[in-house]
Structures are given as C-alpha cells and as structure tokens.
Amino acid sequence: MARKKDHIAAGGTGGGSRAVEGRDARALAHALELLADLSEIKGEVRFKVIAYRRAAEAVRGMGDEILETDSVARLKAIPGIGEAIARKILEFKETGTIGKLEELKEEIPEEVVSLLQVPGLGPRRARLVFEELGVRSLDDLQRAAEEHLLAPLPGLGPKVEAGILEGIKHLRGTAGRIFINQAYEQASGIVDAMLEKLPELRISAAGSLRRMKETIGDIDILAAYGEPHEVTKAFRSLPLVSKVIMSGETRSSVFTRDMLQVDLRVVDTSSWGAALQYFTGSKEHNVRLRELARRQGLKVNEYGVFRVEDDGRMAGADEEGVYAALGLSMPPPELREDRGEIEAAMRGELPSLIGLERIRGDFHVHTRDSDGYHDLEEMRAAAEKLGYSWLGISNHAANLRVARGLDADGLLALVERIEELNAKGDSPVTLLAGCELNIGNDGELDYDDEVLSRLHFAIASVHGGFGQSREAMTRRISRAMRNPFVNIIGHPTGRLIGSRPPYELDLDELLEVAAETGTALELNAFPDRLDLCDHHLRRAKEAGVKIAIGTDAHRAEHLRFMLYGVATARRGWLEGGDVLNLLDAEFLRSLFR
Ligand code: DGT
Ligand code: ZN
Ligand code: CA
Ligand code: CA
C-alpha cells in the first residue's frame, strides 16, 4: 500500500490514549511526523525522512510505554528507532518538544505541511510555492491557482496548475471529515473515561459514528443521567478536551486535542430511546420515518412518539419501542441511510447482517517478508488473540519493488515456512499461504503458473497505471480474474479516501466477470481505503459476487481494522452467505483450488 501523506488522516491505530500533559505517545508520534514532513519539504536526504516516519509508526505501535524507556540504549533496541531518534525521544520527554523540529518550524511554517495533502503537489512543489508565492494554506493555494500564478513557476505549467486545482476540489469534498478509526478510537476513549467518572451513566455514540460511516464530520455522544450538569462537568474536564466551544445544561461541544469536534447531549432516561433514534440519524432516514408517522396520525421527535390527536405518548424510553410504535422492526444503525431499510422493516424483511464475532480470519496480511513490520509468528499470535482460526498471508509480489515485493524464490521459501509452521500444529491459527499479485497494465501477473500453483490462494491488485481508460482498466482486471489462480481482486477501485479518487472502471462488467469466474472481490478494511465501499458492496451482493474482507495489515495492530471492514459490509447489507471470512480454512482451501 502506498504511504499516505494526508493529514486529515495523520492518525493510526494502536497507542493508548491516556493523556500525560501533552507528552504522551500520541504527541510524540505527531512531533516525529511533523519533523518528517517539514524535513521533506526542506529537501532533507530521503533516508532521514523515512527514518522519522518509521519511528513515528513505532511510537504509535508501542503507545505510552515508550515514554517509560529512559536510556538511549534501550530505545535503540526498539525496531525502527536508531541512535539519533532515540536522543530526540529523550529530548521530547524532557522538554515536550524536539529542538530540530522547532528550528525547522522557524524556516517553514507548520501550516505549509497541509499542502502535502493536495494530489499532484509533492514536498518540492510545496516548498516552491511557499518560497516563491508565500502560499501557506489550502486557501492560499487555491487562490494562486485560480489567478494562474502557479503555471509560470519552474516545472509546473498550466496542466499541473489545473491538476492542483482539481486536487483541492477533491480534498474539499472530504475536508473537515476524519477517518472512521480516528473517530471510533477517540469516542471509545471518551465513553470509557466518562464511565470511569460516572459508573451509572447511560452513554452511547450517535450520529454518523454509530452508523459507522466511512468518514465522520463530528462525533455525537448521547448520555442520560439523574444530574445532567454532572455529566457536562465531567465531560468538559476530560484530559483530551482542548477547548470548550459551548457548554449548557444539556448540550456541550468541545474540540479534542486532535481538533475533532465532539457534541454531547444529555437527555432524560424516559426519552433515551427517542433521543438515540433521533441523533443517530441519518437525517434522510429520520425524514422518511416522520413521513411514515404522519400517515399514521403520529408524530416522532427526540422525546418520543406521540399521537397527534391528543398528544398521547406511545414510546420513547427505548429505541426498539420507537420503531415498534410505527409498526417497524428496528433497522441496525448501519442501515439507516434511507436506502430501502424502512420499506424492508415494514415488510419484516431486514437483512440479517454479519457481525465481527462470526469472522474467522483475515485475507490480506503483510509481514516483514515484504513491507510489513511484524513477522509471521507475531502476526499469527495477534490473530490468535482475536480468536481467528486462519490467517491469509499475502505479501507483495515481485513487480512491486518499492514495497519489497518477493521474487519467485523468496515467495516459495515463504510458502515452505508457512507449511512448516502449520505442520508444527502449535497454534489454533492455520496460515494460508497467499500473495498480493500485481495486475500489470495488460492484466499480466508477477509469476508463472508453476509458482502460482504452489500458493493456497492469491489476491491480485492494481498498484500502478491508474490513468488508463475505463475500457483498458476493465479489460485489465477482467483478464486477471480469468486467471484460474486469482481468487480475490484486492482493493478493486483503488481509491484512497481524501487523497485519490477511484480509477475509471466499469463496475457492472467487473461484477459480471467476477460472478462468471467465481472470483471474490475484496473489501479492503484499511480505514483510508474501505474498498469496495458500501454502495458497491450492495451491488456485488445483488450480482451474486462473494466478498473477502482483508485488513491490508502491515502491523499486528492493524488486524483490528477488521472492525471497520465488518461495519462497511453491514452498511452494504451483506449477510453470512456473502462473506468468505465466515468459512473455515479447510473449506476455503478447497474453494480456492
Ligand atoms: P456527520 O457529523 O456529518 O458525519 O453526520 P451526522 O449524521 O453525524 O450528522 P450531525 O452530526 O449533523 O447530526 C447528528 C444526527 O442528528 C443526524 O444523524 C440526525 C440528527 N439531525 C441533525 N440535524 C437534523 C435535522 O435537521 N433533521 C433531522 N431530522 N435530524 C437531524
Ligand atoms: Zn495493495
Ligand atoms: Ca456527527
Ligand atoms: Ca453533531
């Protein structure tokens, strides 16, 4: 997977969120990332930039434990951290910042980093527009592009200028929104911290987060408690709150230290269900629900369901009761987008969605044999902790050199090691020896059939040549699907949320060929991909195409992204029979043969 540089997405998973006066692992990782970005803009040698990024990732992976390590020697023992960075970490521990970072910030304002999000504007061009035109922010950049000030700069020209303007527009579409995993982690932290303070509190996420949308505008939290002002007080004083936007008796809004907006509403227990229903949304779902109520002489609001004629209250304390009062079974929050769920609920035909507890394995896992961080045994141990019964190892293949793709000998040696590990039988997790092949510009793959036949399964993905025409791209992927060794198409549309639109593709034709060849399509669960997306998944289901969820894990912690994969599958109305991850290893191996 390509390294992303967008900063709506700067977060990752892993790393406890316990706050220690802004000197926690999260802040350290952030400082190292900023150091990497600014060094890159400054034009520092490549290996330093990479080292800073790798260290930031290691810090996120370890969490606050890293700040308990207090010697250079012990820090250096951590993979991803060398002497120079170890010293910087100690410096951060002592002073709360890094001298080198402060120096760079004097030269290049921190905001310039935001320009790196723009597709087509790398670090070198970011520096150029800053130095030549004083461009510091997205707004500045947009203005400069609109006034055609970029084109005359060396190496840019009108085509690049137009591309940059296009890139800004694309960004604006997702701007101000954050990835689901960041919102989810923050909200979980808030809920836990609130329950620690007020153990009797009733509390739940609402809004787009409860519906598990792929990006989140702001976090909505609902609470019910005897003394509302105590809830608001506890909320305002959470360590991760950096700024209180507004705070009243029953409603407060704050910014967290990561600059996410969190809205908290406190309601009366008697209207908990109605409030949860109302604030979960979506707005479109609620509008349809109110129409339905009106036709029955009823009225729905955040306090309950009422008869219009005499204001008699029919429901409100619990959410299922709200739907029942309208003659509906309750659609799971992930379905509440007005995409037919109300009609299905009326007919009593809501789908029976998959759940995380039924997932038996993960198809898309990288190890240090290509560009992953942990080794086979470490990934297997992590899968064991999740209660999996199998794990698909799918490292990059020969033609993707930038991601340390394996040559044929390396791949075969890995298959052998996997078979040895399985034969030992000391883990409940069976490893499936796979590979993430590259679909070449004409649909060709990395290895010959003899090598491919040694694999238990294969994913094939597009990793380059994104600019092809719709016809060429569709033909290319179809050809890969017709190869009998290809079982799954990885991240089928190639989009990166907030930084790269999907490539041109005829999805209907793709689905047809997938159904015909029995090829599964991936639901890549990495939070900046979620590819296929919910809409596409539903179309795949209707076409009878099976879905394979893979996290694209490059570290053990990433296996937890399965949560977002399952949530997106639910938003795509997927049921047990649609998803291969519910099957056991033996069945899969015979299916793939
Ligand atoms: P977001 O924050 O943009 O990711 O999306 P939501 O869905 O969380 O939207 P938000 O935060 O503006 O509002 C939270 C919920 O409150 C929303 O899902 C439904 C409800 N709500 C907000 N505004 C309206 C409205 O004008 N009409 C109705 N019926 N419900 C609303
Ligand atoms: Zn990939
Ligand atoms: Ca919201
Ligand atoms: Ca809100």
Side-chain angles (χ1 to χ4, degrees):
M1 209 199 69
R3 168 159 293 282
K4 59 178 182 279
K5 42 187 174 173
D6 49 304
H7 287 258
I8 51 164
T13 185
S17 54
R18 195 123 317 204
V20 192
E21 310 161 273
R23 280 191 207 179
D24 54 4
R26 206 182 257 269
L28 171 58
H30 184 74
L32 288 166
E33 270 156 11
L34 189 58
L35 186 58
D37 289 340
L38 288 175
S39 308
E40 197 171 25
I41 295 171
K42 176 88 192 300
E44 279 275 11
V45 284
R46 187 89 198 115
F47 77 83
K48 273 199 188 178
V49 175
I50 292 174
Y52 294 145
R53 292 223 169 98
R54 189 171 304 143
E57 229 182 283
V59 169
R60 279 193 200 282
M62 267 187 82
D64 287 341
E65 201 185 311
I66 200 159
L67 295 168
E68 284 152 28
T69 316
D70 51 12
S71 78
V72 169
R74 299 243 304 279
L75 282 166
K76 267 173 63 183
I78 301 168
I81 292 176
E83 167 101 25
I85 290 177
R87 291 193 188 286
K88 289 188 171 61
I89 292 176
L90 291 182
E91 188 190 346
F92 176 87
K93 231 179 102 169
E94 214 158 279
T95 66
T97 184
I98 298 169
K100 176 87 188 287
L101 174 62
E102 296 304 314
E103 267 171 44
L104 277 170
K105 282 206 263 185
E106 301 256 301
E107 278 181 66
I108 308 161
E110 200 175 326
E111 344 157 40
V112 174
V113 168
S114 70
L115 302 181
L116 295 180
Q117 306 169 62
V118 179
L121 195 94
R124 206 178 48 78
R125 284 173 179 167
R127 173 151 146 238
L128 185 69
V129 296
F130 167 64
E131 283 177 351
E132 296 297 318
L133 305 170
V135 164
R136 292 161 161 257
S137 63
L138 279 184
D139 283 340
D140 290 351
L141 186 67
Q142 180 165 7
R143 215 170 307 125
E146 280 164 358
E147 289 169 13
H148 303 297
L149 301 175
L150 301 182
L153 295 179
L156 267 72
K159 213 172 145 196
V160 173
E161 183 179 76
I164 287 174
L165 203 53
E166 190 61 33
I168 297 174
K169 266 201 243 143
H170 177 72
L171 257 183
R172 296 263 190 230
T174 42
R177 301 188 67 80
I178 54 166
F179 291 156
I180 176 81
N181 63 317
Q182 286 178 289
Y184 191 92
E185 283 171 23
Q186 292 259 331
S188 314
I190 291 171
V191 167
D192 291 349
M194 290 293 287
L195 283 171
E196 211 164 284
K197 291 189 184 197
L198 306 169
E200 304 290 298
L201 186 68
R202 198 172 214 191
I203 186 164
S204 167
S208 53
L209 179 58
R210 185 161 180 247
R211 303 196 313 279
M212 297 296 274
K213 237 180 119 161
E214 61 192 30
T215 61
I216 305 296
D218 68 0
I219 298 176
D220 300 284
I221 294 181
L222 192 71
Y225 198 63
E227 309 278 343
H229 65 274
E230 285 208 25
V231 182
T232 325
K233 204 174 78 190
F235 179 61
R236 280 194 317 246
S237 60
L238 291 177
L240 54 71
V241 168
S242 77
K243 184 171 174 247
V244 177
I245 304 165
M246 74 95 163
S247 177
E249 176 79 355
T250 60
R251 208 191 139 184
S252 330
S253 292
V254 302
F255 276 129
T256 69
R257 287 193 286 111
D258 290 359
M259 291 316 273
L260 307 185
Q261 185 178 327
V262 186
D263 288 349
L264 173 81
R265 289 182 188 80
V266 191
V267 300
D268 197 80
T269 317
S270 63
S271 51
W272 169 260
L276 190 56
Q277 194 289 316
Y278 181 89
F279 291 114
T280 296
S282 65
K283 198 172 151 191
E284 292 74 15
H285 173 89
N286 287 355
V287 166
R288 290 274 290 112
L289 207 63
R290 282 200 301 260
E291 276 170 19
L292 183 71
R294 204 173 314 123
R295 279 187 261 134
Q296 303 177 35
L298 299 171
K299 182 175 83 185
V300 190
N301 57 30
E302 65 254 59
Y303 304 104
V305 182
F306 303 87
R307 276 189 301 268
V308 173
E309 48 175 23
D310 61 358
D311 252 0
R313 192 158 185 272
M314 316 269 298
D318 72 286
E319 199 181 24
E320 268 190 276
V322 170
Y323 285 97
L326 302 171
L328 302 176
S329 42
M330 182 170 86
E334 293 91 337
L335 296 187
R336 301 185 197 168
E337 300 289 350
D338 189 24
R339 295 180 192 159
E341 72 283 3
I342 292 180
E343 292 74 4
M346 262 154 60
R347 295 192 305 266
E349 286 172 10
L350 283 169
S352 110
L353 303 179
I354 63 160
L356 192 58
E357 71 292 342
R358 292 176 65 194
I359 297 292
R360 306 179 74 159
D362 185 331
F363 285 102
H364 195 153
V365 172
H366 297 266
T367 60
R368 63 193 322 160
D369 302 288
S370 66
D371 62 343
Y373 183 84
H374 291 110
D375 64 24
L376 273 180
E377 285 92 337
E378 288 166 325
M379 290 312 256
R380 188 178 65 170
E384 192 174 332
K385 272 197 202 135
L386 295 174
Y388 287 171
S389 61
W390 53 266
L391 191 67
I393 303 299
S394 33
N395 277 301
H396 287 293
N399 297 345
L400 200 64
R401 291 211 182 76
V402 289
R404 310 207 306 125
L406 288 160
D407 62 21
D409 289 342
L411 180 65
L412 292 176
L414 183 62
V415 173
E416 226 162 87
R417 270 176 50 222
I418 286 175
E419 281 169 347
E420 276 165 27
L421 275 175
N422 284 340
K424 267 204 213 158
D426 50 0
S427 164
V429 177
T430 303
L431 297 176
L432 297 179
C435 188
E436 182 179 13
L437 305 167
N438 303 290
I439 305 178
N441 284 347
D442 295 312
E444 70 278 14
L445 302 172
D446 307 67
Y447 311 108
D448 59 34
D449 286 0
E450 202 175 310
V451 174
L452 292 176
S453 70
R454 295 287 314 280
L455 296 170
H456 301 166
F457 77 106
I459 302 175
S461 314
V462 170
H463 285 128
F466 300 119
Q468 285 183 333
S469 71
R470 183 178 160 98
E471 292 70 30
M473 186 60 88
T474 308
R475 203 176 329 116
R476 170 185 181 185
I477 302 179
S478 299
R479 201 178 140 208
M481 287 197 286
R482 293 191 193 282
N483 183 313
F485 293 107
V486 170
N487 308 109
I488 300 167
I489 297 298
H491 40 75
T493 78
R495 71 153 175 184
L496 291 177
I497 300 173
S499 60
R500 189 172 75 206
Y503 36 69
E504 298 288 333
L505 185 68
D506 182 341
L507 191 72
D508 284 322
E509 170 148 3
L510 201 74
L511 291 175
E512 218 169 276
V513 181
E516 176 199 322
T517 56
T519 312
L521 296 184
E522 182 179 62
L523 159 49
N524 188 299
F526 211 88
D528 70 347
R529 287 195 182 268
L530 296 174
D531 180 9
L532 297 175
C533 71
D534 49 3
H535 295 277
H536 291 163
L537 290 167
R538 199 159 166 201
R539 280 165 67 184
K541 176 196 175 121
E542 277 155 18
V545 172
K546 303 288 180 230
I547 299 300
I549 310 178
T551 56
D552 212 341
H554 283 67
R555 311 179 54 91
E557 303 85 71
H558 293 163
L559 291 177
R560 284 189 277 134
F561 292 158
M562 184 56 73
L563 170 68
Y564 309 112
V566 168
T568 304
R570 288 167 62 85
R571 289 180 58 82
W573 291 55
L574 298 194
E575 300 177 282
D578 304 318
V579 179
L580 298 183
N581 304 64
L582 273 52
L583 302 171
D584 65 32
E586 219 159 290
F587 193 94
L588 283 171
R589 285 204 56 185
S590 64
L591 183 76
F592 288 151
R593 210 167 296 136

